[in-house]
């Protein structure tokens, strides 16, 4: 590299000389105000730990909402990423690339599904699943044109596109963004009988998170997923699992549906599939369902790009080889058990599976965000979901000694 080029690189990724306050000022002035982050400006990360621009270290107990299941800068994923980046990053799907075929083969085998359709973000994959279910409904099930219905559940979170917010219960998600997309029917979460009652001859799919993440780490009753799968199959309705947040080891199984031995008809993945370095999402299903797409029906410039495929292949390989789901189960069980020993009168409920853990506070204890700020001051980063619920979801590679360290601080703040 020439000296000019290397100093240009240094100018972008070199050590920042701005303070947290200065960064905050830039963001306030130039960024749309669509987030309310905790006041910490992170400049580097390794494993489960990050460091801010002042050099203060924190344990990351959010993991970018489960996108960082492998931790920050996983050495092998990073090596694959850098090596592939040097060879080829993007072709578009106008041409084939030498990562795409192997990616399709490996991810379909991993998920025990026939076919995959790759996208980038979670919301795009959810949109893809909705399109697939509708077209399957018209072409295979024989639903009358434009009459397809998809059943969703109360408290869902599937992303932020206009169609997806159209079936959210949260009024803020919809307010000001109409006209909204029709064709969705909402039922309570955790109630399989409500599903049976809601199905009509026009129902093509049932879209559900096996554990609701943004809804407040809500675990449905045992047997719910299996009962819903059976109801779907009795009625020729697709069971569509959004495992964007719960999938790839987070809940102590490779997929949260595995807790009930449920194989969804349509599986949606995102977040951790990108190994913490790329946005990579995917929809997996049978030939009967994904076979409805013809050239031109659907696509994405970046979907299936060679860099994303290489990273995802490496992420899946590491998840299996290092038994990260089993690890999440073991470490998560111990950690949740310890959280349950915290006395005092602030905590109303502790729930979750594996390393997806929600702590719900009594109304009298105030909102969860207050405690997130206090934990930040103790060197622990986490975030509230709904007002009264805080989530602990560290990378699956987190060390036991780090969780022990965190527990001492959490107990102090939450007692
Ligand atoms: N499904 C589930 C279950 C999710 O948790 C999405 C879909 C959408 O994924 P994308 O990649 O489009 O964000 C999610 C995302 C946020 C935010 O910043 C998103 C999520 C969790 C917390 C915050 O909008 N989950």
């Amino acid at each position: 590299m020439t000296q000019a080029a290397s100093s240009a690189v240094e100018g972008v990724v070199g050590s920042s000389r701005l303070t947290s306050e200065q960064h905050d000022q830039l963001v306030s002035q130039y960024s749309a105000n669509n987030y309310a982050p905790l006041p910490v400006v992170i400049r580097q990360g390794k494993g489960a730990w990050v460091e801010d621009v002042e050099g203060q270290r924190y344990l990351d107990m959010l993991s970018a909402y489960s996108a960082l299941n492998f931790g920050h800068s996983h050495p092998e994923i990073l090596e694959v990423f850098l090596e592939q980046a040097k060879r080829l990053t993007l072709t578009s799907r106008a041409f084939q690339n030498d990562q795409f075929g192997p990616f399709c083969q490996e991810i379909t085998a991993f998920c025990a599904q026939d076919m995959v359709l790759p996208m980038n973000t979670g919301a795009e994959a959810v949109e893809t699943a909705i399109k697939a279910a509708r077209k399957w409904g018209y072409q295979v099930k024989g639903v009358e044109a434009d009459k397809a219905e998809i059943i969703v559940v109360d408290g869902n979170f599937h992303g932020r596109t206009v169609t997806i917010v159209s079936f959210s219960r949260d009024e803020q998600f919809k307010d000001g963004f109409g006209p909204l997309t029709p064709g969705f029917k909402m039922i309570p979460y955790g109630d399989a009988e409500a599903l049976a009652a809601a199905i009509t001859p026009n129902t093509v799919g049932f879209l559900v998170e096996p554990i609701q993440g943004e809804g407040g780490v809500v675990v449905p009753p045992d047997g719910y997923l299996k009962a819903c799968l059976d109801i779907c199959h009795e009625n020729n309705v697709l069971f569509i699992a959004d495992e964007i947040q719960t999938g790839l080891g987070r809940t102590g199984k490779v997929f949260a549906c595995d807790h009930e031995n449920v194989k969804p008809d349509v599986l949606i993945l995102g977040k951790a599939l990108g190994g913490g370095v790329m946005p990579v999402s995917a929809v997996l299903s049978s030939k009967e369902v994904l076979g409805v797409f013809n050239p031109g029906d659907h696509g994405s410039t970046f979907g299936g790009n060679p860099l994303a495929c290489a990273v995802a292949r490496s992420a899946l390989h590491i998840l299996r080889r290092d038994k990260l789901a089993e690890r999440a189960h073991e470490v998560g069980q111990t950690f949740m058990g310890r959280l349950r020993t915290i006395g005092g009168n602030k905590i109303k409920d502790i729930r979750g599976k594996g390393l997806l853990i929600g702590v719900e506070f009594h109304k009298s204890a105030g909102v969860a965000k207050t405690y997130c700020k206090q934990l930040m001051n103790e060197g622990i980063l986490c975030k509230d979901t709904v007002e009264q619920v805080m989530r602990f979801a560290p990378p699956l590679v987190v060390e036991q000694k780090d969780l022990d360290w965190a527990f001492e601080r959490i107990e102090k703040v939450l007692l």
Side-chain angles (χ1 to χ4, degrees), residues 35 65 121-124 126 157-160 209 214 242 244-245 271 391:
Y35 279 95
Y65 305 109
T121 65
E124 284 174 306
V126 173
F157 186 91
H158 299 286
R160 303 284 196 171
E209 297 158 84
E214 297 324 291
D242 178 345
I244 289 170
Q245 187 165 155
K271 295 193 192 283
R391 160 185 28 209

Side-chain angles (χ1 to χ4, degrees), residues 346 369-379 413-414:
K346 291 180 183 140
K369 191 162 190 174
T370 317
Y371 300 104
C372 295
K373 283 184 186 152
Q374 289 177 23
L375 284 173
M376 191 189 103
N377 295 331
E378 296 286 331
V413 169
L414 301 194

Side-chain angles (χ1 to χ4, degrees), residues 118-144:
M119 298 296 281
N120 312 284
T121 65
E124 284 174 306
V126 173
E127 289 271 352
T128 303
I130 291 169
K131 286 175 77 172
R134 284 182 169 183
K135 199 153 192 207
W136 171 86
Y138 301 127
Q139 287 197 347
V140 181
K141 183 167 175 171
V143 173
E144 195 186 323

Side-chain angles (χ1 to χ4, degrees), residues 93 95-119 269 273 280-285 287 290 303-306 308-314 316:
R93 294 282 305 276
F95 314 121
Q96 303 276 23
N97 70 71
D98 72 349
Q99 284 291 333
F100 185 57
F103 161 78
C104 294
Q105 183 186 36
E106 287 166 23
I107 193 170
T108 50
F110 189 95
C111 300
Q113 298 279 355
D114 296 342
M115 284 183 165
V116 62
L117 199 162
M119 298 296 281
L269 298 179
L273 187 57
V280 187
S281 65
V283 175
L284 293 117
S285 189
K287 280 201 170 76
L290 285 181
N305 74 72
C309 289
V311 161
R313 292 176 67 195
S314 147
L316 295 178

